[in-house]
Amino acid sequence: MNFPTSTHKSRWLLSPEDLEARRCARYDKSVREIERYRPASTSAAASAAPGEGGEKAPQQLGGLELVSMEEEKQLFSYYERMISKICVLYNFSRKILAISIVYFKRFYLKFSILDYEPWTLMITCVYLACKVENAYISAEELAKGVQQDARIVEKIVLGSEMNLLQGLDFDLVVHTPYAALDGFCFDLETYVQEKLPAGECWELERAEAFAQRLRKKGYESIDALLFSDGPLLHAPGLLAFAALEVALKASGEKALLREYVASLLARADGGMAADQLAQAIQAIHKLGQSGASGLIDESTLKQIDRKLKLCRNPIYDPSSEQYKKQQAEKQKRKQEAKAAAAAAAGNHLKRASAAMQDAQALGLGEDLFIAPAGVDQQDSKRRKSKETSSPHQQPVGMS
């Protein structure tokens, strides 16, 4: 599938304002649900006003402090790096790494960290990405990488996969920057061999070695961008070009960078203007810096994790009374629907039986509805007898 017509472009690329608005909306929704469904003894709540820069300040629920949006971002950063470690451990392709992290980011645009545990979703995202890329790994094998019991991991994956799919709106297509970077490197390799002024073109071996160095450095830049909001804000081609720019600057070929960018813009059909491209690339570089530095120390992680366990949204917490009530109601609706279907089938049979009795009362036998036994056999015998009575008769039109 081409990127311009994909759901990746139409549904999962947002402006910075839209991205922040969606995160605030789903966080507020989770807080309201916690306020509504927590036990009465802790239902009193005092909500703080938003902090500076649009960040939500910590909120209190009956003396219980909720995980803030800033702490949520820190946890996301940690678990995205855990996804990277799992993919490296199993030697998964970089495409699987990118898809897993993008699934994780997309899911938490619809739900907050107060709704679903990030560890559970982390494992499920890797599992689903492997299935999408035909690199299936069993839950038992995945359990070894996260040092958990295989039965626990299997239960988590099977129980969370549908939740993940629904959170993604079943949009599983992800275009990664790695493929775009490969395309740029191949194009640049051709450019330095054929498009430079006479006498300045490179030899094949030099061009191939240069492209390989660029690819390696570019991959590292994309790895950092995956830990930022880059995949939700910019097209994979732009992310790849920003990574290529970093690699070219690191190689010392700044003049070549200017020439190559000019050639790309000249070949572009209705693409970005030079100033728009420069502005977008500058924003992406800032995202790459934040992705490379967004580490969280272990003590802070444990503190946030303890807080998170105490303020789960009861609607999605299997241990809560509200969740059990919802599941019981759902099961009841299923049983009622099953009973209604059985009753409808029974009524249909009753009507058919009544119609048959009415027909018999009018002197109409079953042969009105069902052909008498033996009719097909008698017709078959008559046709056979007719065919054998004139063995020399030829079909019409045959001589």
PDB file of all heavy atoms in Angstrom, residues 195-213:
ATOM      1  N   LYS A 195      25.488  12.257 -11.239  1.00  0.00           N
ATOM      2  CA  LYS A 195      24.912  13.595 -11.348  1.00  0.00           C
ATOM      3  C   LYS A 195      25.853  14.725 -10.978  1.00  0.00           C
ATOM      4  O   LYS A 195      25.514  15.897 -11.169  1.00  0.00           O
ATOM      5  CB  LYS A 195      23.659  13.686 -10.447  1.00  0.00           C
ATOM      6  CG  LYS A 195      22.610  12.614 -10.716  1.00  0.00           C
ATOM      7  CD  LYS A 195      22.045  12.701 -12.124  1.00  0.00           C
ATOM      8  CE  LYS A 195      20.966  11.642 -12.349  1.00  0.00           C
ATOM      9  NZ  LYS A 195      20.415  11.712 -13.721  1.00  0.00           N
ATOM     10  N   LEU A 196      27.007  14.411 -10.423  1.00  0.00           N
ATOM     11  CA  LEU A 196      27.944  15.473 -10.074  1.00  0.00           C
ATOM     12  C   LEU A 196      28.600  16.023 -11.336  1.00  0.00           C
ATOM     13  O   LEU A 196      28.597  15.375 -12.387  1.00  0.00           O
ATOM     14  CB  LEU A 196      29.003  14.930  -9.111  1.00  0.00           C
ATOM     15  CG  LEU A 196      28.520  14.535  -7.701  1.00  0.00           C
ATOM     16  CD1 LEU A 196      29.686  14.000  -6.881  1.00  0.00           C
ATOM     17  CD2 LEU A 196      27.885  15.734  -6.999  1.00  0.00           C
ATOM     18  N   PRO A 197      29.177  17.242 -11.255  1.00  0.00           N
ATOM     19  CA  PRO A 197      29.847  17.805 -12.434  1.00  0.00           C
ATOM     20  C   PRO A 197      30.940  16.885 -12.962  1.00  0.00           C
ATOM     21  O   PRO A 197      31.496  16.047 -12.239  1.00  0.00           O
ATOM     22  CB  PRO A 197      30.430  19.124 -11.908  1.00  0.00           C
ATOM     23  CG  PRO A 197      29.566  19.485 -10.743  1.00  0.00           C
ATOM     24  CD  PRO A 197      29.168  18.184 -10.119  1.00  0.00           C
ATOM     25  N   ALA A 198      31.259  17.033 -14.238  1.00  0.00           N
ATOM     26  CA  ALA A 198      32.264  16.183 -14.886  1.00  0.00           C
ATOM     27  C   ALA A 198      33.588  16.249 -14.131  1.00  0.00           C
ATOM     28  O   ALA A 198      34.051  17.327 -13.736  1.00  0.00           O
ATOM     29  CB  ALA A 198      32.456  16.628 -16.330  1.00  0.00           C
ATOM     30  N   GLY A 199      34.165  15.096 -13.920  1.00  0.00           N
ATOM     31  CA  GLY A 199      35.437  15.012 -13.212  1.00  0.00           C
ATOM     32  C   GLY A 199      35.303  14.899 -11.710  1.00  0.00           C
ATOM     33  O   GLY A 199      36.298  14.677 -11.025  1.00  0.00           O
ATOM     34  N   GLU A 200      34.073  15.075 -11.166  1.00  0.00           N
ATOM     35  CA  GLU A 200      33.863  14.998  -9.723  1.00  0.00           C
ATOM     36  C   GLU A 200      33.058  13.767  -9.315  1.00  0.00           C
ATOM     37  O   GLU A 200      32.812  13.570  -8.121  1.00  0.00           O
ATOM     38  CB  GLU A 200      33.147  16.256  -9.227  1.00  0.00           C
ATOM     39  CG  GLU A 200      33.942  17.533  -9.439  1.00  0.00           C
ATOM     40  CD  GLU A 200      33.218  18.747  -8.896  1.00  0.00           C
ATOM     41  OE1 GLU A 200      32.243  18.549  -8.126  1.00  0.00           O
ATOM     42  OE2 GLU A 200      33.606  19.888  -9.214  1.00  0.00           O
ATOM     43  N   CYS A 201      32.601  12.986 -10.282  1.00  0.00           N
ATOM     44  CA  CYS A 201      31.796  11.798  -9.957  1.00  0.00           C
ATOM     45  C   CYS A 201      32.636  10.770  -9.213  1.00  0.00           C
ATOM     46  O   CYS A 201      33.845  10.630  -9.450  1.00  0.00           O
ATOM     47  CB  CYS A 201      31.228  11.183 -11.238  1.00  0.00           C
ATOM     48  SG  CYS A 201      29.994  12.217 -12.039  1.00  0.00           S
ATOM     49  N   TRP A 202      31.985  10.047  -8.311  1.00  0.00           N
ATOM     50  CA  TRP A 202      32.671   9.083  -7.459  1.00  0.00           C
ATOM     51  C   TRP A 202      32.737   7.721  -8.132  1.00  0.00           C
ATOM     52  O   TRP A 202      31.889   7.365  -8.968  1.00  0.00           O
ATOM     53  CB  TRP A 202      31.948   8.943  -6.115  1.00  0.00           C
ATOM     54  CG  TRP A 202      31.965  10.187  -5.275  1.00  0.00           C
ATOM     55  CD1 TRP A 202      32.297  11.454  -5.668  1.00  0.00           C
ATOM     56  CD2 TRP A 202      31.626  10.264  -3.893  1.00  0.00           C
ATOM     57  NE1 TRP A 202      32.189  12.330  -4.633  1.00  0.00           N
ATOM     58  CE2 TRP A 202      31.776  11.633  -3.512  1.00  0.00           C
ATOM     59  CE3 TRP A 202      31.224   9.354  -2.936  1.00  0.00           C
ATOM     60  CZ2 TRP A 202      31.529  12.086  -2.221  1.00  0.00           C
ATOM     61  CZ3 TRP A 202      30.979   9.793  -1.651  1.00  0.00           C
ATOM     62  CH2 TRP A 202      31.124  11.148  -1.298  1.00  0.00           C
ATOM     63  N   GLU A 203      33.732   6.938  -7.720  1.00  0.00           N
ATOM     64  CA  GLU A 203      33.799   5.543  -8.150  1.00  0.00           C
ATOM     65  C   GLU A 203      32.754   4.716  -7.393  1.00  0.00           C
ATOM     66  O   GLU A 203      32.293   5.111  -6.316  1.00  0.00           O
ATOM     67  CB  GLU A 203      35.196   4.977  -7.880  1.00  0.00           C
ATOM     68  CG  GLU A 203      36.310   5.634  -8.678  1.00  0.00           C
ATOM     69  CD  GLU A 203      36.181   5.373 -10.178  1.00  0.00           C
ATOM     70  OE1 GLU A 203      35.629   4.309 -10.538  1.00  0.00           O
ATOM     71  OE2 GLU A 203      36.598   6.229 -10.965  1.00  0.00           O
ATOM     72  N   LEU A 204      32.412   3.578  -7.961  1.00  0.00           N
ATOM     73  CA  LEU A 204      31.366   2.721  -7.391  1.00  0.00           C
ATOM     74  C   LEU A 204      31.691   2.309  -5.956  1.00  0.00           C
ATOM     75  O   LEU A 204      30.836   2.397  -5.063  1.00  0.00           O
ATOM     76  CB  LEU A 204      31.169   1.479  -8.257  1.00  0.00           C
ATOM     77  CG  LEU A 204      30.207   0.412  -7.714  1.00  0.00           C
ATOM     78  CD1 LEU A 204      28.796   0.988  -7.597  1.00  0.00           C
ATOM     79  CD2 LEU A 204      30.209  -0.827  -8.611  1.00  0.00           C
ATOM     80  N   GLU A 205      32.931   1.863  -5.717  1.00  0.00           N
ATOM     81  CA  GLU A 205      33.284   1.380  -4.382  1.00  0.00           C
ATOM     82  C   GLU A 205      33.181   2.494  -3.345  1.00  0.00           C
ATOM     83  O   GLU A 205      32.677   2.284  -2.225  1.00  0.00           O
ATOM     84  CB  GLU A 205      34.710   0.807  -4.386  1.00  0.00           C
ATOM     85  CG  GLU A 205      34.890  -0.465  -5.190  1.00  0.00           C
ATOM     86  CD  GLU A 205      34.949  -0.208  -6.694  1.00  0.00           C
ATOM     87  OE1 GLU A 205      34.992   0.983  -7.094  1.00  0.00           O
ATOM     88  OE2 GLU A 205      34.931  -1.187  -7.458  1.00  0.00           O
ATOM     89  N   ARG A 206      33.627   3.673  -3.702  1.00  0.00           N
ATOM     90  CA  ARG A 206      33.560   4.799  -2.772  1.00  0.00           C
ATOM     91  C   ARG A 206      32.109   5.170  -2.483  1.00  0.00           C
ATOM     92  O   ARG A 206      31.741   5.427  -1.329  1.00  0.00           O
ATOM     93  CB  ARG A 206      34.304   5.992  -3.356  1.00  0.00           C
ATOM     94  CG  ARG A 206      34.293   7.222  -2.439  1.00  0.00           C
ATOM     95  CD  ARG A 206      34.886   8.440  -3.145  1.00  0.00           C
ATOM     96  NE  ARG A 206      34.786   9.631  -2.305  1.00  0.00           N
ATOM     97  CZ  ARG A 206      35.044  10.866  -2.746  1.00  0.00           C
ATOM     98  NH1 ARG A 206      35.436  11.060  -4.013  1.00  0.00           N
ATOM     99  NH2 ARG A 206      34.931  11.891  -1.927  1.00  0.00           N
ATOM    100  N   ALA A 207      31.265   5.183  -3.514  1.00  0.00           N
ATOM    101  CA  ALA A 207      29.857   5.541  -3.344  1.00  0.00           C
ATOM    102  C   ALA A 207      29.132   4.523  -2.467  1.00  0.00           C
ATOM    103  O   ALA A 207      28.340   4.893  -1.590  1.00  0.00           O
ATOM    104  CB  ALA A 207      29.173   5.634  -4.703  1.00  0.00           C
ATOM    105  N   GLU A 208      29.393   3.238  -2.676  1.00  0.00           N
ATOM    106  CA  GLU A 208      28.735   2.193  -1.886  1.00  0.00           C
ATOM    107  C   GLU A 208      29.141   2.264  -0.420  1.00  0.00           C
ATOM    108  O   GLU A 208      28.301   2.142   0.485  1.00  0.00           O
ATOM    109  CB  GLU A 208      29.073   0.815  -2.458  1.00  0.00           C
ATOM    110  CG  GLU A 208      28.389   0.513  -3.780  1.00  0.00           C
ATOM    111  CD  GLU A 208      28.746  -0.864  -4.298  1.00  0.00           C
ATOM    112  OE1 GLU A 208      29.768  -1.434  -3.820  1.00  0.00           O
ATOM    113  OE2 GLU A 208      28.030  -1.381  -5.176  1.00  0.00           O
ATOM    114  N   ALA A 209      30.434   2.461  -0.169  1.00  0.00           N
ATOM    115  CA  ALA A 209      30.918   2.549   1.212  1.00  0.00           C
ATOM    116  C   ALA A 209      30.344   3.784   1.905  1.00  0.00           C
ATOM    117  O   ALA A 209      29.960   3.736   3.088  1.00  0.00           O
ATOM    118  CB  ALA A 209      32.449   2.592   1.223  1.00  0.00           C
ATOM    119  N   PHE A 210      30.243   4.889   1.177  1.00  0.00           N
ATOM    120  CA  PHE A 210      29.688   6.119   1.741  1.00  0.00           C
ATOM    121  C   PHE A 210      28.212   5.932   2.089  1.00  0.00           C
ATOM    122  O   PHE A 210      27.755   6.330   3.168  1.00  0.00           O
ATOM    123  CB  PHE A 210      29.861   7.252   0.733  1.00  0.00           C
ATOM    124  CG  PHE A 210      29.350   8.581   1.215  1.00  0.00           C
ATOM    125  CD1 PHE A 210      29.933   9.225   2.294  1.00  0.00           C
ATOM    126  CD2 PHE A 210      28.283   9.201   0.582  1.00  0.00           C
ATOM    127  CE1 PHE A 210      29.472  10.456   2.734  1.00  0.00           C
ATOM    128  CE2 PHE A 210      27.806  10.422   1.019  1.00  0.00           C
ATOM    129  CZ  PHE A 210      28.407  11.050   2.098  1.00  0.00           C
ATOM    130  N   ALA A 211      27.457   5.316   1.174  1.00  0.00           N
ATOM    131  CA  ALA A 211      26.028   5.079   1.417  1.00  0.00           C
ATOM    132  C   ALA A 211      25.821   4.164   2.610  1.00  0.00           C
ATOM    133  O   ALA A 211      24.882   4.353   3.405  1.00  0.00           O
ATOM    134  CB  ALA A 211      25.371   4.482   0.174  1.00  0.00           C
ATOM    135  N   GLN A 212      26.698   3.181   2.775  1.00  0.00           N
ATOM    136  CA  GLN A 212      26.572   2.272   3.905  1.00  0.00           C
ATOM    137  C   GLN A 212      26.811   2.991   5.229  1.00  0.00           C
ATOM    138  O   GLN A 212      26.110   2.762   6.217  1.00  0.00           O
ATOM    139  CB  GLN A 212      27.560   1.107   3.750  1.00  0.00           C
ATOM    140  CG  GLN A 212      27.417  -0.001   4.780  1.00  0.00           C
ATOM    141  CD  GLN A 212      26.046  -0.646   4.744  1.00  0.00           C
ATOM    142  OE1 GLN A 212      25.404  -0.729   3.696  1.00  0.00           O
ATOM    143  NE2 GLN A 212      25.571  -1.111   5.898  1.00  0.00           N
ATOM    144  N   ARG A 213      27.785   3.905   5.270  1.00  0.00           N
ATOM    145  CA  ARG A 213      28.047   4.681   6.490  1.00  0.00           C
ATOM    146  C   ARG A 213      26.860   5.594   6.806  1.00  0.00           C
ATOM    147  O   ARG A 213      26.464   5.743   7.967  1.00  0.00           O
ATOM    148  CB  ARG A 213      29.328   5.507   6.331  1.00  0.00           C
ATOM    149  CG  ARG A 213      30.604   4.691   6.278  1.00  0.00           C
ATOM    150  CD  ARG A 213      31.830   5.566   6.513  1.00  0.00           C
ATOM    151  NE  ARG A 213      31.940   6.642   5.527  1.00  0.00           N
ATOM    152  CZ  ARG A 213      32.536   6.523   4.346  1.00  0.00           C
ATOM    153  NH1 ARG A 213      33.101   5.365   3.994  1.00  0.00           N
ATOM    154  NH2 ARG A 213      32.610   7.552   3.524  1.00  0.00           N
TER     155      ARG A 213
END
